[in-house]
Structure formats: C-alpha cells, structure tokens
Amino acid sequence: MTAEGPTAAPALPEVNGQVGEDVALPTEVVVSLTSITTTTLTAETPGEYSGPAVVVGVRVTNESDSPQPVGSAVVSLAAEDGEMGVPTWASPNDPLQGEVPAGTTAEGTYVFMLDPADERSVSVRVNYSAGEPVATFTGTTS
C-alpha cells in the first residue's frame, strides 16, 4: 500500500542573521531581537523551576499592506552545543498575540531555562506565524 498525500510538513524558508540585526522575510515582515539577556528565575507557582534562564525580546514589524497574524508565533532557543533552551511561562514571559496591522510593530518576550545561561553562543529561531518563513539569529547571551 502506498501513502497518499504529503507525509511530512513542507520545509519553511529560513533567513539568517546575527543578534542585533533586522531579518527581512520575503513576506514583508521584519523580525528583530530587542534583547537577549540572562536572569535567574525563582519558582512562584507549582510546576515552575528555579534556575538560570535566557530572556529574549522579539519585535515583528509588518511592512506589508495587510495584517499579519502572530498569535501562533513559535520562538525557540538552542545553545551552540545543541542543548535546547526549555520554554517557560514564568515571568517576564509575554508572548506575541493577535495580529500586527499593516505598517505597525508588535513585541513579545520569551523565557528559556538554560544552565548555564551566561556568555553562551545561541541560536534563536522565530516563526512569527504557522507556515510562514523563519528568522534565525545567532549570537551570545549577556
């Protein structure tokens, strides 16, 4: 029996840049990281963990003529050695929401547990909306 239809998700276009640079995507959306800092989280609610973390500020600028949805944005962080930052909802997490009207900007904050977090070479991937191109940034935490 042969499989019918696609068996894997299509590869998304990826545009690379450095932390501190704007990444212009082919959809007329510009993604940038407003900050990439480290902190130590203290567990405040059940299920949270305490420890070192990376806080990433993300800015999405819509230079197109139509609203761009960002409510399904996915942001991930990986260290140079392959260790993945573990996303957490702990404060100051404040993800992108809703949509970005034409000609405007939206910002969100994402938090990742990573031990150690200071002075790590990392890669941050931002997929502002499901099925859209991915902006990938490389740099060092501070």
Side-chain angles (χ1 to χ4, degrees):
M1 178 193 234
T2 60
E4 293 184 30
T7 57
L12 297 175
E14 189 170 327
V15 180
N16 297 309
Q18 297 292 315
V19 171
E21 295 178 350
D22 292 344
V23 171
L25 299 173
T27 53
E28 298 183 62
V29 169
V30 177
V31 179
S32 57
L33 301 184
T34 59
S35 63
I36 182 166
T37 60
T38 60
T39 189
T40 300
L41 297 179
T42 302
E44 296 179 4
T45 62
E48 288 183 356
Y49 291 93
S50 295
V54 178
V55 179
V56 178
V58 176
R59 176 181 294 133
V60 175
T61 302
N62 181 0
E63 295 181 348
S64 76
D65 293 332
S66 57
Q68 296 291 324
V70 294
S72 64
V74 175
V75 178
S76 62
L77 179 139
E80 184 177 52
D81 61 8
E83 182 180 359
M84 295 299 297
V86 178
T88 178
W89 288 99
S91 182
N93 189 71
D94 185 18
L96 293 162
Q97 298 177 26
E99 62 183 24
V100 183
T104 65
T105 298
E107 294 189 5
T109 303
Y110 297 82
V111 182
F112 302 91
M113 302 296 294
L114 186 67
D115 189 10
D118 291 327
E119 301 298 322
R120 296 276 302 263
S121 292
V122 295
S123 175
V124 177
R125 293 174 46 95
V126 179
N127 180 226
Y128 73 90
S129 185
E132 297 297 344
V134 177
T136 300
F137 300 87
T138 55
T140 305
T141 62
S142 57

